[in-house]
Amino acid sequence: MHNYFQKEMETMPVEQIKALQSEKLVKLVKRVYDNVEYYRNLMDEKGVKPEDIKGVEDLHKLPFLSKADLREAYPFGLLATDLKDCVRIHSTSGTTGKRVVAFYTQNDIDVWDDCTARAIVAAGGSNEDIVQVCYGFGLFTGGAGLNGGSHKVGSLTLPMSSGNTDRQIQFMMDLGSTIICCTPSYAAYIGETLKEKGYKPEDNKLKAGIFGAEAWTEEMRRDIEKNLGIKAYDIYGLTEISGPGVSFECEEQTGMHINEDHFIAEIIDPDTGEVLPEGSKGELVFTSLDKEAFPLIRYRTRDICVLSRKKCSCGRTFIKMSKPMGRSDDMMIIKGVNVFPSQIEAVLLNEGYAPNYQIVVDRVNNSDTLDVYVEMKETDFSDKVKDMTKKEKQLSAAITAMLGIRPIVHLVAPKSIARSEGKAVRVIDNRKRLGITI
């Protein structure tokens, strides 16, 4: 028995999805051209007029939008409605330059809530569930997104926000939370804390977790599932396109279904911008079909992934995206080698280490250095220097086999790497302070 929140949409035949997307796209392009000067100028530069767009097959003619465009148009330059029609903003954490601010009408929020409700129902959620939302609330989209979806499903919602882990655990145990929503690193931390407090996985009532907002590996998923006694589901989204719920995992867990009635996904070559055929690995690009306040056309996410229309056992017909395999902009080039933090994480988990690590990259005497600090588990921690050195060498060799470059591995005491209750800071790249463009 498969569960759907909006069955008719989620199982619509592919031809109908395409027809619906085409109809919405034609209207969207006209509306954006008429109302958004910034994008109209981009279209004019490219020599494209709204009447050139007759359906999804013409999407490739339109110009891309990038994060740089969003910063340049900040704050109101990409707004497609009157400000008085907007009821909320969200914003990205913005580590460089200006923050990105996205606007929402009430209808935008309703559509977004439907998308996250689909994710909750796909994870087995219903109005009989108690959903604990420990994503951050505020400008970050995580908390508000899952909170809204949980309300739409009719679940009892605990809007906990992140942090205060003792209180999270108290509410989880006392109220019998059945679904938990947070970042994977925070889920791992909650699992660790429960164990320390003497709880076993079967002591909680949790059955599922919906985790996103940062990269995580299959090994980490299995770890979290074991420690919390749950099935862990992936969710994907980005503030610029609405927030979590752009795509979500079903019980098959072979990728995330993109809500294609609201978003068109493309995969492009990040260097040339050429659209690649289904099944190719490349950069994910989104067009938001139903956003009233802040519609983005062909927005470059910088996430590297693969799209697949392979039939899914859950009955949903929406195209699936793989878990992002890194980003075309957080990829590090170290000694000329492309390195994604997720590759190092996969090795650590494979070798039996907890996913608590930090990667430090630097440049010494014109040569890149790569140091990986890894926490030992309590059971493995040894104060014998010889034992530690041997383990460090073994781990260094395993990472070298994966990356092709040799890191210096430092095994450190349990709990000595600062825990993050939001997004984990996995990488410190000191080359940036030297003014080196990576």
Side-chain angles (χ1 to χ4, degrees):
M1 160 74 182
H2 299 301
N3 299 323
Y4 310 100
F5 180 64
Q6 292 165 318
K7 185 175 182 187
E8 199 182 319
M9 304 311 283
E10 294 176 61
T11 59
M12 185 188 286
V14 175
E15 305 69 51
Q16 267 176 262
I17 292 173
K18 289 269 192 329
L20 179 67
Q21 287 181 333
S22 290
E23 188 189 318
K24 287 184 175 184
L25 180 66
V26 170
K27 287 180 187 156
L28 171 74
V29 172
K30 179 156 179 26
R31 188 165 68 83
V32 169
Y33 189 84
D34 291 345
N35 294 299
V36 182
E37 186 190 358
Y38 189 95
Y39 199 72
R40 179 165 63 245
N41 292 340
L42 289 179
M43 281 178 66
D44 288 347
E45 271 168 42
K46 220 177 166 201
V48 193
K49 289 279 178 274
E51 49 274 21
D52 298 333
I53 308 303
K54 296 180 172 58
V56 284
E57 64 283 358
D58 296 321
L59 185 61
H60 69 277
K61 297 175 182 173
L62 292 162
F64 292 113
L65 280 170
S66 68
K67 201 162 238 178
D69 289 308
L70 270 59
R71 291 202 184 101
E72 200 178 312
Y74 172 92
F76 304 119
L78 284 164
L79 196 58
T81 49
D82 288 342
L83 202 55
K84 68 177 168 52
D85 296 326
C86 299
V87 297
R88 199 193 296 167
I89 69 149
H90 281 286
S91 175
T92 61
S93 47
T95 46
T96 52
K98 287 179 189 152
R99 297 177 73 94
V100 168
V101 173
F103 297 84
Y104 300 74
T105 63
Q106 187 54 53
N107 186 63
D108 292 338
I109 287 170
D110 291 341
V111 168
W112 180 21
D113 289 350
D114 284 346
C115 289
T116 49
R118 289 174 184 179
I120 290 168
V121 172
S126 72
N127 60 1
E128 293 182 8
D129 280 287
I130 297 174
V131 177
Q132 185 158 337
V133 181
C134 347
Y135 285 111
F137 280 71
L139 290 171
F140 176 60
T141 51
L146 272 301
N147 189 71
S150 178
H151 279 225
K152 274 259 167 108
V153 173
S155 309
L156 176 62
T157 312
L158 312 186
M160 302 291 295
S161 198
S162 61
N164 201 335
T165 307
D166 285 346
R167 188 177 64 189
Q168 301 276 9
I169 287 170
Q170 186 194 338
F171 271 79
M172 181 194 293
M173 300 314 257
D174 292 352
L175 291 167
S177 303
T178 53
I179 297 177
I180 186 167
C181 310
C182 59
T183 60
S185 58
Y186 194 42
Y189 183 57
I190 288 173
E192 219 173 76
T193 312
L194 280 167
K195 202 188 270 179
E196 267 165 30
K197 289 179 180 288
Y199 290 112
K200 294 188 186 71
E202 57 271 21
D203 294 337
N204 70 59
K205 294 259 184 352
L206 293 173
K207 63 179 187 184
I210 298 174
F211 307 129
E214 63 186 14
W216 54 310
T217 53
E218 281 304 311
E219 292 89 344
M220 190 169 178
R221 186 208 298 264
R222 301 294 162 233
D223 242 26
I224 292 168
E225 288 184 332
K226 194 173 83 209
N227 290 339
L228 289 175
I230 60 170
K231 186 157 177 168
Y233 293 83
D234 211 343
I235 191 167
Y236 174 89
L238 50 167
T239 302
E240 300 92 316
I241 299 293
S242 68
V246 172
S247 67
F248 60 91
E249 239 176 3
C250 62
E251 68 264 26
E252 193 180 275
Q253 292 186 320
T254 54
M256 291 171 276
H257 290 285
I258 293 167
N259 284 306
E260 286 191 282
D261 49 338
H262 302 304
F263 308 100
I264 302 176
E266 303 170 89
I267 291 287
I268 63 162
D269 179 318
D271 299 323
T272 64
E274 177 203 357
V275 179
L276 301 175
E278 183 202 319
S280 309
K281 184 172 164 183
E283 182 183 340
L284 184 59
V285 171
F286 276 118
T287 296
S288 50
L289 292 168
D290 291 304
K291 287 287 287 286
E292 293 177 341
F294 199 69
L296 297 186
I297 296 174
R298 303 198 84 200
Y299 180 69
R300 296 185 60 161
T301 66
R302 296 287 174 194
D303 280 324
I304 302 292
C305 71
V306 174
L307 296 179
S308 165
R309 278 236 180 256
K310 198 169 157 230
K311 199 172 175 206
C312 185
S313 61
C314 78
R316 287 177 184 81
T317 48
F318 290 156
I319 201 164
K320 272 189 193 167
M321 59 178 275
S322 66
K323 188 187 274 290
M325 301 159 177
R327 291 169 61 86
S328 61
D329 61 355
D330 81 358
M331 179 181 79
M332 300 172 288
I333 299 177
I334 304 171
K335 295 183 178 174
V337 176
N338 294 350
V339 175
F340 289 107
S342 55
Q343 294 172 301
I344 293 175
E345 179 171 304
V347 173
L348 298 184
L349 287 155
N350 215 19
E351 296 288 318
Y353 293 86
N356 300 314
Y357 65 96
Q358 201 156 53
I359 299 163
V360 180
V361 188
D362 215 329
R363 175 80 45 98
V364 179
N365 299 332
N366 295 324
S367 179
D368 290 340
T369 61
L370 172 62
D371 289 76
V372 182
Y373 292 82
V374 183
E375 272 188 12
M376 309 267 319
K377 291 179 176 171
E378 292 280 2
T379 47
D380 299 332
F381 190 57
S382 160
D383 49 13
K384 286 189 188 143
V385 174
K386 200 172 74 178
D387 290 359
M388 298 288 276
T389 308
K390 187 179 167 196
K391 284 178 174 168
E392 284 171 347
K393 280 186 174 154
Q394 283 169 339
L395 192 49
S396 176
I399 294 172
T400 306
M402 165 70 90
L403 302 179
I405 52 171
R406 186 173 294 283
I408 299 168
V409 171
H410 310 264
L411 291 175
V412 296
K415 298 207 173 37
S416 59
I417 293 175
R419 287 293 188 281
S420 164
E421 294 185 333
K423 290 197 182 194
V425 180
R426 298 292 195 207
V427 181
I428 298 169
D429 196 335
N430 290 321
R431 295 174 299 180
K432 288 175 183 167
R433 66 175 163 72
L434 302 171
I436 297 163
T437 307
I438 312 306

